[in-house]
Amino acid sequence: METQSSIDVNEVIIERIQRIFDVAEEYGLLGIVRENLVIHSSEESDKIAYTLDVSKAKFGQYLGFQMKLNEDAFANAKDLSITKLRSYSYHGFHLENPNKHFIRFDYEPFKERYAPVHINAYKQKWGDHLVFPDDTNLDISKMSSPIAMKIFNRYAKDKGDFPTNQETNQPYVEIIKNGR
């Protein structure tokens, strides 16, 4: 994927924000998301924007798992139906061995050495800076924080069910494909 300043998503920004809240509530994370989601708009600006910056979140039933969610997006007031992702980083890991049992989905538009949209995982087993479709079957250009929460909830249940294991990761492919 070429370096670009944003990923355009055919999604109304207000509906995207609502989906973040809905999925956060589903997984018992509504309070932490409410505290860390900032929505920006003004009459002078021609944009509405939000920043989600959750530095530490745990699923109540999976205490050995932790995740971080960072997402920055905006829409032009003239066309709120196109949400533009400026960046994202969704990082989930098992605390007992976070260096081996982690996955991070990144969109960093101004990366110089690596593709701006990529997956970081345990390098020795899964590879690092994985890019769709060359290195992974996960179409990470479709990622969002609600999708990341769903993926992390599944991965939190079983660290052996690794999202980048292409032999067994079809449920993860479906989560991304369907947004569920």
Side-chain angles (χ1 to χ4, degrees):
M1 178 176 275
E2 293 178 20
T3 299
Q4 54 192 19
S5 60
S6 67
I7 296 175
D8 291 357
V9 182
N10 290 325
E11 194 170 5
V12 178
I13 195 165
I14 301 303
E15 292 173 3
R16 186 176 180 93
I17 293 167
Q18 185 58 53
R19 195 167 3 272
I20 291 169
F21 287 132
D22 291 345
V23 174
E25 183 174 32
E26 180 181 342
Y27 293 114
L29 302 166
L30 186 58
I32 195 163
V33 167
R34 280 190 192 274
E35 290 172 20
N36 294 285
L37 183 86
V38 178
I39 301 170
H40 315 275
S41 67
S42 71
E43 291 182 18
E44 300 87 42
S45 172
D46 67 338
K47 292 183 175 120
I48 183 169
Y50 69 87
T51 303
L52 175 64
D53 188 9
V54 176
S55 62
K56 184 192 290 190
K58 296 181 179 182
F59 294 101
Q61 68 274 38
Y62 308 115
L63 299 178
F65 191 84
Q66 187 171 300
M67 70 176 177
K68 302 174 185 178
L69 303 169
N70 302 94
E71 183 171 304
D72 187 11
F74 71 93
N76 293 318
K78 293 175 187 164
D79 187 6
L80 295 177
S81 66
I82 303 295
T83 299
K84 297 179 177 289
L85 286 178
R86 280 192 274 239
S87 66
Y88 64 69
S89 180
Y90 314 122
H91 186 180
F93 52 96
H94 288 274
L95 294 170
E96 79 178 39
N97 196 339
N99 292 327
K100 287 187 177 181
H101 298 288
F102 79 96
I103 188 163
R104 187 173 65 239
F105 304 96
D106 285 331
Y107 169 53
E108 300 166 303
F110 301 108
K111 275 280 190 192
E112 292 184 19
R113 273 183 76 194
Y114 303 106
V117 177
H118 63 272
I119 299 173
N120 296 100
Y122 181 49
K123 186 171 17 180
Q124 283 75 1
K125 182 149 185 169
W126 305 108
D128 203 11
H129 295 97
L130 305 173
V131 177
F132 175 82
D134 299 336
D135 311 309
T136 182
N137 59 349
L138 301 175
D139 186 357
I140 50 179
S141 68
K142 298 181 187 311
M143 286 297 296
S144 66
S145 53
I147 290 172
M149 283 186 259
K150 291 175 186 214
I151 286 173
F152 293 153
N153 181 68
R154 181 177 173 92
Y155 180 42
K157 292 177 189 178
D158 178 6
K159 68 181 175 200
D161 180 29
F162 204 82
T164 57
N165 181 348
Q166 293 190 57
E167 294 176 11
T168 61
N169 75 347
Q170 195 57 41
Y172 293 104
V173 171
E174 291 298 315
I175 289 170
I176 294 172
K177 179 180 169 188
N178 299 326
R180 304 179 189 159

